[in-house]
Amino acid sequence: MKKYFVIGNPINHSLSPKLHNYWLKQNNINAVYDKIKLEENEIENFILKIKDQEINGCNVTVPFKKNVIPFLDKLSLEAEQTLSVNTITFDNGSLVGHNTDVAGFQEAIKHLNYNVKDKKILILGAGGVVPSIIFALNKMEVSKITISNRTREKAENLKSQFNKISIVEWGDIPDFDMIINATSLGLNDEIINLGNFNISEGKFFYDVIYNPSETNFLRDGKKLGSLTENGKLMFIYQAFGAFSLWHGIEPQINLETLKLLEND
């Protein structure tokens, strides 16, 4: 039986096992998928187990999307350009890092029929999936990307990677069409204070968090008369990419798939 994992810290909130095991069963694949919490100093040993084929592949979530890179042999184009890996495969004797978050975000936005072309985007946060979102937004031809992060240094590091982005201080809200929460604020009911700003109706509030399905950030967006969406579709589409890489099968995404993740 093949074994797959998602690694991260924290990892409790991850619904990856639920989705992947559902698809494995649906496609009659003799494999199991589980989640495992790792410390940074345990990453190398874990990845060596993929090389030894004790483990057949893994997903990577926060905060390890960059930390895994030194232990890999090759990177896909998206992983190389974003310096972010969320899927590891073992191909012809090489450990390969992939980034399915880029396509995951693009497909999710496409599915919502929201056209980001020429829109002004404000991203809260600078870690995790942010490089992937910036890369995807540039491909989708947005007009401007602004980053606001609690530690400015992290945002500055992103600017050296993507020189066209602007940076504002945490708490400053410039004019935007779409605001993306890519921080972990909201996983445990935290509040992002947007109350002092005059945000007009008709904006788009997008939260990368998918569990819980409605964060305080999205509730605030609703109160302001904005379109709101959580990260569930992005999560499903990035999982779709990983599943396809490992098993050579494109799993079904339908109402049943969406319902599967609704009750958590």
Side-chain angles (χ1 to χ4, degrees):
M1 183 183 271
K2 290 186 171 181
K3 289 182 194 166
Y4 298 87
F5 288 90
V6 56
I7 61 170
N9 191 343
I11 199 68
N12 260 359
H13 65 283
S14 176
L15 296 180
S16 289
K18 193 170 188 180
L19 181 55
H20 279 273
N21 286 318
Y22 168 76
W23 280 338
L24 288 168
K25 193 177 174 185
Q26 202 178 47
N27 290 283
N28 297 313
I29 296 168
N30 186 22
V32 67
Y33 184 112
D34 207 349
K35 53 188 169 191
I36 186 165
K37 181 181 171 183
L38 291 184
E39 300 301 328
E40 196 175 335
N41 60 4
E42 298 173 304
I43 293 171
E44 186 175 8
N45 276 347
F46 181 87
I47 289 175
L48 283 173
K49 286 180 183 174
I50 302 175
K51 200 154 204 170
D52 296 339
Q53 284 295 274
E54 284 175 53
I55 294 166
N56 300 89
C58 83
N59 282 134
V60 184
T61 188
V62 286
F64 300 138
K65 289 175 191 256
K66 200 172 182 178
N67 306 51
V68 296
I69 292 175
F71 310 117
L72 304 174
D73 302 311
K74 294 177 186 170
L75 296 178
S76 71
L77 174 72
E78 289 85 357
E80 204 174 319
Q81 304 234 323
T82 57
L83 294 177
S84 180
V85 165
N86 79 322
T87 304
I88 299 173
T89 60
F90 187 66
D91 300 330
N92 303 318
S94 294
L95 288 165
V96 186
H98 304 264
N99 181 332
T100 67
D101 285 325
V102 172
F105 181 77
Q106 272 185 278
E107 289 303 317
I109 298 301
K110 218 184 280 180
H111 183 93
L112 296 166
N113 291 322
Y114 182 79
N115 185 7
V116 295
K117 193 179 177 189
D118 298 328
K119 298 275 199 304
K120 295 190 285 288
I121 315 293
L122 172 61
I123 302 175
L124 307 178
V129 292
V130 174
S132 307
I133 289 174
I134 294 171
F135 188 78
L137 287 169
N138 281 334
K139 279 173 84 175
M140 295 158 94
E141 300 178 2
V142 300
S143 67
K144 187 176 185 186
I145 299 171
T146 306
I147 302 283
S148 177
N149 192 54
R150 284 168 287 181
T151 44
R152 190 180 170 101
E153 192 188 342
K154 254 191 171 181
E156 295 289 355
N157 290 343
L158 270 180
K159 192 166 171 60
S160 62
Q161 205 177 334
F162 302 98
N163 53 12
K164 286 181 184 168
I165 64 173
S166 306
I167 298 168
V168 293
E169 292 299 329
W170 182 254
D172 288 355
I173 307 284
D175 184 38
F176 65 86
D177 299 300
M178 177 184 188
I179 183 170
I180 300 170
N181 175 35
T183 72
S184 58
L185 295 171
L187 274 177
N188 297 301
D189 216 30
E190 299 93 343
I191 289 168
I192 297 171
N193 189 7
L194 302 169
N196 309 330
F197 298 93
N198 188 14
I199 299 169
S200 58
E201 283 186 12
K203 306 293 188 186
F204 183 15
F205 277 59
Y206 185 90
D207 203 321
V208 167
I209 293 169
Y210 60 87
N211 185 19
S213 59
E214 189 174 62
T215 56
N216 285 315
F217 171 78
L218 293 183
R219 279 187 210 109
D220 287 345
K222 263 188 189 159
K223 282 178 203 161
L224 291 163
S226 293
L227 176 68
T228 64
E229 187 67 37
N230 67 27
K232 188 200 284 186
L233 279 173
M234 180 183 176
F235 165 69
I236 290 172
Y237 280 114
Q238 65 73 30
F240 171 93
F243 193 93
S244 306
L245 284 166
W246 291 326
H247 309 294
I249 291 170
E250 292 193 346
Q252 273 192 317
I253 297 174
N254 51 27
L255 276 174
E256 206 178 318
T257 320
L258 294 167
K259 275 185 185 160
L260 177 78
L261 305 175
E262 239 163 48
N263 308 321
D264 290 84

